[in-house]
Amino acid sequence: MTPAGPRKTAAYIGALAGLGLILAACSSGADPANYPEDDIDVIVPFSAGGPTDTVTRMVAEPMSEELGVQLVVQNVDGAGGTVGAGQAATAEPDGYTVLMHHIGMSTAPALYDDLAYDPVADFKPVGLVTEVPMTIVGSPDFEPTTFEEFVSHIQENADTVTMAHAGEGSASNLCGLLLMDALGVEVTAVPYDGTGPAMGELVGGQVDFMCDQTTNTTGQIEAGKVKAYAVTTPERIEALPDLPTTAEGGQPDIEVSVWHGLYVPAETPDEVVTQLTDALQVALADQMVIDQMADLGTAPVAADQATPEAHATLLQEQIESWGDIIGAGQGG
């Protein structure tokens, strides 16, 4: 056999190298120039029907229309959102796995010593979606009728009062921690596997009160199935105009809202992130989304907040501030 000449050998090596690059691109699934070519999984690290799931489904439809592929919601709940977030952190960084998470993304580092991911290092923010107010609501049979009466009752009967929440690290859990810290009491916390079961037990009178997002409580309040005491925002909200703020009730330190944002794995190409951000901004400007959020007591963030830069800044600030609050509560 005649040995190949230098030019043929070089051409052969070059062809192999080119084939290697093609195979590498195919195996990673990342092709920013043609993105997206397939459906996109959106991991929601909480149960179906909960507030984060509701927000996700609101924006998924208009984002799907803008991107030309379907955004498929995958509920992966457990451990205060850390199971789903951990799954998203290790997903292929090709833009076909997206995470929708709330304020819990910033509190997890302080709550969990063995957290399997770093919220900053392992993700790229895509943009903020909404900031949802929290409400303090009680069971139909809970004795207090006003927020002032609620505060007095909690402080005088802390050893017998029960508070529902959707599990450690959930928004309802965090709001409850803040409430107890502000009132200087510790009530019996009853964790549930999601806000749906927690609300069901509250309506049924099995627990006394809970603190949760308007996306989960507005319908129950309007239907008269729970007692509404206060909203945890500086000003009253349009969806519940008769509901006073915690500040009006003499408790300005009980102020919290739950922000939601989209993330992708850290190595996702910037070109892909840009397309997702653009689609998110289109969704947040959609009148149907605006109306749906208004019905639940919230609103889309402004366009300059639905960006990776604004999202990254808020995430870092919240990690630091909640670290101080949770650390103090745990004696740290």
Side-chain angles (χ1 to χ4, degrees):
M1 180 179 293
T2 305
R7 289 183 181 178
K8 288 185 177 180
T9 301
Y12 180 69
I13 293 173
L16 285 178
L19 179 61
L21 290 174
I22 292 171
L23 291 174
C26 291
S27 65
S28 69
D31 186 2
N34 296 320
Y35 177 84
E37 297 180 293
D38 203 353
D39 290 348
I40 298 170
D41 288 333
V42 184
I43 292 178
V44 175
F46 302 101
S47 59
T52 304
D53 180 71
T54 298
V55 168
T56 305
R57 294 178 191 275
M58 283 182 185
V59 299
E61 183 176 347
M63 285 186 69
S64 296
E65 293 176 1
E66 179 66 16
L67 291 166
V69 298
Q70 193 68 34
L71 269 67
V72 181
V73 177
Q74 306 283 352
N75 295 97
V76 185
D77 59 341
T82 60
V83 173
Q87 181 173 316
T90 58
E92 192 73 29
D94 54 11
Y96 292 99
T97 301
V98 178
L99 172 71
M100 175 76 86
H101 208 333
H102 63 31
I103 191 173
M105 193 69 153
S106 63
T107 60
L111 286 170
Y112 301 96
D113 293 332
D114 56 348
L115 193 63
Y117 58 89
D118 184 316
V120 175
D122 292 335
F123 291 94
K124 277 184 180 178
V126 173
L128 297 169
V129 178
T130 185
E131 279 199 67
V132 183
M134 304 288 285
T135 51
I136 300 170
V137 294
S139 73
D141 299 327
F142 197 36
E143 183 178 331
T145 58
T146 67
F147 182 61
E148 289 84 356
E149 291 176 3
F150 169 85
V151 170
S152 297
H153 186 86
I154 295 292
Q155 291 175 327
E156 294 168 7
N157 302 278
D159 56 338
T160 61
V161 171
T162 55
M163 177 188 72
H165 66 77
E168 185 177 14
S170 66
S172 52
N173 173 227
L174 298 170
C175 184
L177 290 174
L178 184 64
L179 184 148
M180 288 190 288
D181 181 69
L183 299 185
V185 299
E186 185 172 347
V187 302
T188 299
V190 184
Y192 290 89
D193 186 19
T195 52
M199 179 59 73
E201 293 283 275
L202 183 72
V203 171
Q206 280 74 36
V207 285
D208 293 325
F209 80 95
M210 70 183 294
C211 179
D212 204 12
Q213 301 172 63
T214 55
T215 45
N216 192 47
T217 62
T218 299
Q220 303 291 350
I221 293 170
E222 292 178 335
K225 294 183 177 180
V226 295
K227 288 184 176 180
Y229 295 114
V231 60
T232 64
T233 48
E235 298 180 357
R236 296 191 184 197
I237 59 175
E238 187 174 344
L240 300 166
D242 297 328
L243 189 62
T245 68
T246 48
E248 288 179 68
Q251 300 295 330
D253 290 338
I254 306 176
E255 182 181 313
V256 62
S257 58
V258 179
W259 51 271
H260 295 74
L262 286 173
Y263 304 80
V264 290
E267 298 304 316
T268 303
D270 290 339
E271 299 92 330
V272 169
V273 176
T274 297
Q275 290 194 60
L276 289 169
T277 299
D278 291 346
L280 173 62
Q281 294 201 355
V282 168
L284 297 182
D286 185 278
Q287 191 59 50
M288 183 175 293
V289 172
I290 294 171
D291 292 343
Q292 288 176 333
M293 287 192 178
D295 288 342
L296 296 175
T298 187
V301 299
D304 63 354
Q305 295 300 298
T307 66
E309 296 77 18
H311 189 175
T313 297
L314 179 64
L315 175 63
Q316 189 60 58
E317 291 174 351
Q318 291 275 290
I319 288 174
E320 294 172 5
S321 62
W322 277 103
D324 292 340
I325 293 171
I326 295 171
Q330 295 176 339

